[in-house]
Amino acid sequence: EVVNFAGDYYRFILDRQKVLVTEKRAVELNHLQAINHLDVAQAYLSLGQYELAIPPARTTISLAPELLDSYETLVRAYGNLKRFDEMRAAITAGRKVQGADPAVLQNMEILTAIFEGRTAEALRLQEEFRPQVEQAPGDDVALDLRRACIDGAGSGIQFK
């Protein structure tokens, strides 16, 4: 728990290398904790190491298939790698999660449209999603959506 908290702290202060080292240590200390693997996958994403993000995201799914963020992590990794069939498969698997948050699913759809170059559709989906973003400004999905262009696939599509 302490190591995982430290990784979250480093993420907050945006030291991505320390996030990765700390989150990998959390996995070493408790490899059965799914969120630790997810944090490693997301650290790799933040470093642009998309291929390396895939195995820990898949491990997260094997340990806790209900964690929808792991499917979104795969969407981001596969999208950046232009492996669109696998990206769509991750979304399909995410839709099967019982009680899946519709906002996270919507965010995955927006990311898919961005990665596939369907700009008009991405903008339309973002406009549909805007009320949810404005109602929950501190929500992780809302913040992710506002930062959707960080992956480099956004082509200037972003909330103002």
Side-chain angles (χ1 to χ4, degrees), residues 20-37:
L20 181 59
V21 169
T22 305
E23 296 300 355
K24 283 175 139 183
R25 181 67 179 138
V27 168
E28 290 171 10
L29 292 172
N30 187 354
H31 68 279
L32 296 177
Q33 183 70 19
I35 198 71
N36 293 343
H37 294 277

PDB file of all heavy atoms in Angstrom, residues 20-37:
ATOM      1  N   LEU A  20       7.137   4.730 -12.776  1.00  0.00           N
ATOM      2  CA  LEU A  20       7.377   3.387 -13.286  1.00  0.00           C
ATOM      3  C   LEU A  20       8.167   2.545 -12.292  1.00  0.00           C
ATOM      4  O   LEU A  20       7.788   1.406 -11.976  1.00  0.00           O
ATOM      5  CB  LEU A  20       8.100   3.447 -14.636  1.00  0.00           C
ATOM      6  CG  LEU A  20       8.379   2.097 -15.284  1.00  0.00           C
ATOM      7  CD1 LEU A  20       7.091   1.322 -15.521  1.00  0.00           C
ATOM      8  CD2 LEU A  20       9.141   2.296 -16.588  1.00  0.00           C
ATOM      9  N   VAL A  21       9.252   3.078 -11.768  1.00  0.00           N
ATOM     10  CA  VAL A  21      10.084   2.343 -10.804  1.00  0.00           C
ATOM     11  C   VAL A  21       9.262   1.977  -9.572  1.00  0.00           C
ATOM     12  O   VAL A  21       9.304   0.830  -9.093  1.00  0.00           O
ATOM     13  CB  VAL A  21      11.325   3.176 -10.412  1.00  0.00           C
ATOM     14  CG1 VAL A  21      12.060   2.558  -9.233  1.00  0.00           C
ATOM     15  CG2 VAL A  21      12.252   3.327 -11.605  1.00  0.00           C
ATOM     16  N   THR A  22       8.506   2.930  -9.074  1.00  0.00           N
ATOM     17  CA  THR A  22       7.732   2.706  -7.848  1.00  0.00           C
ATOM     18  C   THR A  22       6.609   1.705  -8.078  1.00  0.00           C
ATOM     19  O   THR A  22       6.386   0.816  -7.253  1.00  0.00           O
ATOM     20  CB  THR A  22       7.168   4.048  -7.333  1.00  0.00           C
ATOM     21  OG1 THR A  22       8.248   4.957  -7.172  1.00  0.00           O
ATOM     22  CG2 THR A  22       6.459   3.870  -6.011  1.00  0.00           C
ATOM     23  N   GLU A  23       5.925   1.814  -9.203  1.00  0.00           N
ATOM     24  CA  GLU A  23       4.824   0.890  -9.472  1.00  0.00           C
ATOM     25  C   GLU A  23       5.332  -0.526  -9.744  1.00  0.00           C
ATOM     26  O   GLU A  23       4.695  -1.503  -9.357  1.00  0.00           O
ATOM     27  CB  GLU A  23       3.973   1.388 -10.641  1.00  0.00           C
ATOM     28  CG  GLU A  23       3.268   2.715 -10.395  1.00  0.00           C
ATOM     29  CD  GLU A  23       2.305   2.726  -9.213  1.00  0.00           C
ATOM     30  OE1 GLU A  23       2.059   1.677  -8.578  1.00  0.00           O
ATOM     31  OE2 GLU A  23       1.780   3.801  -8.911  1.00  0.00           O
ATOM     32  N   LYS A  24       6.499  -0.643 -10.382  1.00  0.00           N
ATOM     33  CA  LYS A  24       7.086  -1.973 -10.573  1.00  0.00           C
ATOM     34  C   LYS A  24       7.436  -2.601  -9.217  1.00  0.00           C
ATOM     35  O   LYS A  24       7.268  -3.799  -9.015  1.00  0.00           O
ATOM     36  CB  LYS A  24       8.334  -1.890 -11.451  1.00  0.00           C
ATOM     37  CG  LYS A  24       8.033  -1.715 -12.917  1.00  0.00           C
ATOM     38  CD  LYS A  24       9.332  -1.524 -13.663  1.00  0.00           C
ATOM     39  CE  LYS A  24       9.357  -2.265 -14.952  1.00  0.00           C
ATOM     40  NZ  LYS A  24      10.660  -2.127 -15.640  1.00  0.00           N
ATOM     41  N   ARG A  25       7.900  -1.780  -8.309  1.00  0.00           N
ATOM     42  CA  ARG A  25       8.202  -2.270  -6.956  1.00  0.00           C
ATOM     43  C   ARG A  25       6.929  -2.728  -6.253  1.00  0.00           C
ATOM     44  O   ARG A  25       6.930  -3.747  -5.548  1.00  0.00           O
ATOM     45  CB  ARG A  25       8.912  -1.180  -6.134  1.00  0.00           C
ATOM     46  CG  ARG A  25       9.281  -1.601  -4.750  1.00  0.00           C
ATOM     47  CD  ARG A  25      10.363  -2.678  -4.740  1.00  0.00           C
ATOM     48  NE  ARG A  25      10.692  -3.022  -3.361  1.00  0.00           N
ATOM     49  CZ  ARG A  25      10.895  -4.237  -2.944  1.00  0.00           C
ATOM     50  NH1 ARG A  25      10.846  -5.249  -3.776  1.00  0.00           N
ATOM     51  NH2 ARG A  25      11.164  -4.474  -1.675  1.00  0.00           N
ATOM     52  N   ALA A  26       5.845  -2.020  -6.459  1.00  0.00           N
ATOM     53  CA  ALA A  26       4.562  -2.424  -5.869  1.00  0.00           C
ATOM     54  C   ALA A  26       4.151  -3.804  -6.390  1.00  0.00           C
ATOM     55  O   ALA A  26       3.650  -4.638  -5.631  1.00  0.00           O
ATOM     56  CB  ALA A  26       3.486  -1.383  -6.178  1.00  0.00           C
ATOM     57  N   VAL A  27       4.387  -4.065  -7.679  1.00  0.00           N
ATOM     58  CA  VAL A  27       4.080  -5.379  -8.247  1.00  0.00           C
ATOM     59  C   VAL A  27       4.953  -6.452  -7.607  1.00  0.00           C
ATOM     60  O   VAL A  27       4.477  -7.539  -7.274  1.00  0.00           O
ATOM     61  CB  VAL A  27       4.244  -5.374  -9.789  1.00  0.00           C
ATOM     62  CG1 VAL A  27       4.224  -6.790 -10.347  1.00  0.00           C
ATOM     63  CG2 VAL A  27       3.162  -4.529 -10.436  1.00  0.00           C
ATOM     64  N   GLU A  28       6.233  -6.145  -7.428  1.00  0.00           N
ATOM     65  CA  GLU A  28       7.141  -7.104  -6.789  1.00  0.00           C
ATOM     66  C   GLU A  28       6.661  -7.459  -5.381  1.00  0.00           C
ATOM     67  O   GLU A  28       6.726  -8.616  -4.957  1.00  0.00           O
ATOM     68  CB  GLU A  28       8.554  -6.534  -6.696  1.00  0.00           C
ATOM     69  CG  GLU A  28       9.272  -6.418  -8.021  1.00  0.00           C
ATOM     70  CD  GLU A  28      10.580  -5.645  -7.898  1.00  0.00           C
ATOM     71  OE1 GLU A  28      11.026  -5.353  -6.759  1.00  0.00           O
ATOM     72  OE2 GLU A  28      11.163  -5.325  -8.944  1.00  0.00           O
ATOM     73  N   LEU A  29       6.173  -6.465  -4.657  1.00  0.00           N
ATOM     74  CA  LEU A  29       5.740  -6.690  -3.275  1.00  0.00           C
ATOM     75  C   LEU A  29       4.392  -7.391  -3.190  1.00  0.00           C
ATOM     76  O   LEU A  29       4.135  -8.125  -2.234  1.00  0.00           O
ATOM     77  CB  LEU A  29       5.676  -5.349  -2.527  1.00  0.00           C
ATOM     78  CG  LEU A  29       7.031  -4.682  -2.291  1.00  0.00           C
ATOM     79  CD1 LEU A  29       6.838  -3.284  -1.730  1.00  0.00           C
ATOM     80  CD2 LEU A  29       7.897  -5.532  -1.365  1.00  0.00           C
ATOM     81  N   ASN A  30       3.534  -7.154  -4.181  1.00  0.00           N
ATOM     82  CA  ASN A  30       2.209  -7.784  -4.175  1.00  0.00           C
ATOM     83  C   ASN A  30       1.756  -7.988  -5.613  1.00  0.00           C
ATOM     84  O   ASN A  30       1.016  -7.181  -6.161  1.00  0.00           O
ATOM     85  CB  ASN A  30       1.207  -6.927  -3.401  1.00  0.00           C
ATOM     86  CG  ASN A  30      -0.129  -7.635  -3.226  1.00  0.00           C
ATOM     87  OD1 ASN A  30      -0.358  -8.704  -3.770  1.00  0.00           O
ATOM     88  ND2 ASN A  30      -1.022  -7.015  -2.469  1.00  0.00           N
ATOM     89  N   HIS A  31       2.195  -9.090  -6.194  1.00  0.00           N
ATOM     90  CA  HIS A  31       1.894  -9.357  -7.598  1.00  0.00           C
ATOM     91  C   HIS A  31       0.458  -9.816  -7.833  1.00  0.00           C
ATOM     92  O   HIS A  31       0.023  -9.911  -8.971  1.00  0.00           O
ATOM     93  CB  HIS A  31       2.883 -10.380  -8.175  1.00  0.00           C
ATOM     94  CG  HIS A  31       2.728 -11.751  -7.594  1.00  0.00           C
ATOM     95  ND1 HIS A  31       3.276 -12.083  -6.383  1.00  0.00           N
ATOM     96  CD2 HIS A  31       2.086 -12.839  -8.043  1.00  0.00           C
ATOM     97  CE1 HIS A  31       2.977 -13.341  -6.106  1.00  0.00           C
ATOM     98  NE2 HIS A  31       2.248 -13.816  -7.099  1.00  0.00           N
ATOM     99  N   LEU A  32      -0.291 -10.063  -6.783  1.00  0.00           N
ATOM    100  CA  LEU A  32      -1.689 -10.458  -6.938  1.00  0.00           C
ATOM    101  C   LEU A  32      -2.644  -9.268  -6.875  1.00  0.00           C
ATOM    102  O   LEU A  32      -3.846  -9.434  -7.051  1.00  0.00           O
ATOM    103  CB  LEU A  32      -2.065 -11.490  -5.874  1.00  0.00           C
ATOM    104  CG  LEU A  32      -1.317 -12.821  -5.974  1.00  0.00           C
ATOM    105  CD1 LEU A  32      -1.715 -13.745  -4.828  1.00  0.00           C
ATOM    106  CD2 LEU A  32      -1.568 -13.478  -7.325  1.00  0.00           C
ATOM    107  N   GLN A  33      -2.110  -8.098  -6.611  1.00  0.00           N
ATOM    108  CA  GLN A  33      -2.929  -6.880  -6.555  1.00  0.00           C
ATOM    109  C   GLN A  33      -3.062  -6.322  -7.975  1.00  0.00           C
ATOM    110  O   GLN A  33      -2.107  -5.781  -8.532  1.00  0.00           O
ATOM    111  CB  GLN A  33      -2.287  -5.860  -5.617  1.00  0.00           C
ATOM    112  CG  GLN A  33      -3.072  -4.594  -5.411  1.00  0.00           C
ATOM    113  CD  GLN A  33      -4.335  -4.837  -4.588  1.00  0.00           C
ATOM    114  OE1 GLN A  33      -4.465  -5.831  -3.893  1.00  0.00           O
ATOM    115  NE2 GLN A  33      -5.267  -3.921  -4.686  1.00  0.00           N
ATOM    116  N   ALA A  34      -4.234  -6.440  -8.565  1.00  0.00           N
ATOM    117  CA  ALA A  34      -4.456  -6.059  -9.966  1.00  0.00           C
ATOM    118  C   ALA A  34      -4.112  -4.594 -10.234  1.00  0.00           C
ATOM    119  O   ALA A  34      -3.529  -4.269 -11.270  1.00  0.00           O
ATOM    120  CB  ALA A  34      -5.901  -6.344 -10.353  1.00  0.00           C
ATOM    121  N   ILE A  35      -4.466  -3.728  -9.307  1.00  0.00           N
ATOM    122  CA  ILE A  35      -4.256  -2.298  -9.539  1.00  0.00           C
ATOM    123  C   ILE A  35      -2.776  -1.968  -9.692  1.00  0.00           C
ATOM    124  O   ILE A  35      -2.409  -1.033 -10.416  1.00  0.00           O
ATOM    125  CB  ILE A  35      -4.922  -1.447  -8.424  1.00  0.00           C
ATOM    126  CG1 ILE A  35      -5.098  -0.001  -8.877  1.00  0.00           C
ATOM    127  CG2 ILE A  35      -4.148  -1.537  -7.135  1.00  0.00           C
ATOM    128  CD1 ILE A  35      -6.140   0.196  -9.923  1.00  0.00           C
ATOM    129  N   ASN A  36      -1.901  -2.742  -9.059  1.00  0.00           N
ATOM    130  CA  ASN A  36      -0.470  -2.511  -9.218  1.00  0.00           C
ATOM    131  C   ASN A  36      -0.041  -2.735 -10.664  1.00  0.00           C
ATOM    132  O   ASN A  36       0.739  -1.961 -11.220  1.00  0.00           O
ATOM    133  CB  ASN A  36       0.333  -3.415  -8.282  1.00  0.00           C
ATOM    134  CG  ASN A  36       0.133  -3.078  -6.820  1.00  0.00           C
ATOM    135  OD1 ASN A  36      -0.344  -2.001  -6.477  1.00  0.00           O
ATOM    136  ND2 ASN A  36       0.485  -4.011  -5.952  1.00  0.00           N
ATOM    137  N   HIS A  37      -0.550  -3.781 -11.278  1.00  0.00           N
ATOM    138  CA  HIS A  37      -0.231  -4.067 -12.681  1.00  0.00           C
ATOM    139  C   HIS A  37      -0.798  -2.983 -13.595  1.00  0.00           C
ATOM    140  O   HIS A  37      -0.141  -2.560 -14.551  1.00  0.00           O
ATOM    141  CB  HIS A  37      -0.766  -5.440 -13.084  1.00  0.00           C
ATOM    142  CG  HIS A  37      -0.095  -6.570 -12.376  1.00  0.00           C
ATOM    143  ND1 HIS A  37       1.110  -7.098 -12.785  1.00  0.00           N
ATOM    144  CD2 HIS A  37      -0.455  -7.260 -11.264  1.00  0.00           C
ATOM    145  CE1 HIS A  37       1.457  -8.073 -11.965  1.00  0.00           C
ATOM    146  NE2 HIS A  37       0.532  -8.191 -11.021  1.00  0.00           N
TER     147      HIS A  37
END
